[in-house]
Amino acid sequence: MPSPGTAADISAQDANDLLQKLITESANVQAVFWGRGDVSVTVRGFASRPVDGVVQITEGKGLDSASLSFGLRDVIKFKYADNRAFPSADVPGVPRRLSALIFVYPDDTQVALFELADTP
């Protein structure tokens, strides 16, 4: 599981507003899922509007495109960190993260949406 880090607790409304901003701006995001048993998944793409409380991050438009879906109903804690929480050194091949919106579930499973800087 990820460490608590420097992300600040935020309200559900603030988290929803930030999520809507990522969706509206078609922000490039990296979604990371951390589950039990050290299971993790990473998908890069764009967030879609929640349908029945489920958000989807998809790499492309095809049915075979990698995606990650997660629900918002069971989230017990919301966290946010801006670019000050990330190392300032640019690492070649690693996208620069602008912010992180984190959803924490009762079993401590987490989904983080990292907003990525546009690459030149």
Side-chain angles (χ1 to χ4, degrees):
M1 290 307 225
S3 66
T6 58
D9 290 340
I10 60 172
S11 70
Q13 184 59 54
D14 287 343
N16 185 57
D17 292 346
L18 290 165
L19 176 61
Q20 292 306 317
K21 178 182 178 288
L22 293 173
I23 292 167
T24 302
E25 294 178 358
S26 297
N28 187 13
V29 297
Q30 179 180 35
V32 181
F33 165 83
W34 291 281
R36 297 177 68 188
D38 294 326
V39 173
S40 65
V41 175
T42 302
V43 174
R44 233 172 125 167
F46 302 92
S48 65
R49 296 203 181 278
V51 176
D52 293 329
V54 176
V55 176
Q56 187 170 35
I57 309 300
T58 308
E59 281 185 341
K61 297 187 187 288
L63 292 175
D64 60 344
S65 296
S67 66
L68 173 68
S69 299
F70 60 97
L72 299 174
R73 288 192 182 109
D74 296 336
V75 175
I76 61 166
K77 190 182 295 185
F78 304 89
K79 294 182 160 288
Y80 176 79
D82 63 17
N83 62 355
R84 294 174 290 184
F86 310 114
S88 60
D90 289 326
V91 178
V94 176
R96 190 166 56 95
R97 295 173 174 176
L98 302 175
S99 66
L101 177 58
I102 305 164
F103 305 90
V104 182
Y105 295 86
D107 65 353
D108 207 29
T109 297
Q110 298 182 27
V111 174
L113 298 182
F114 294 100
E115 181 181 8
L116 305 177
D118 291 332
T119 54

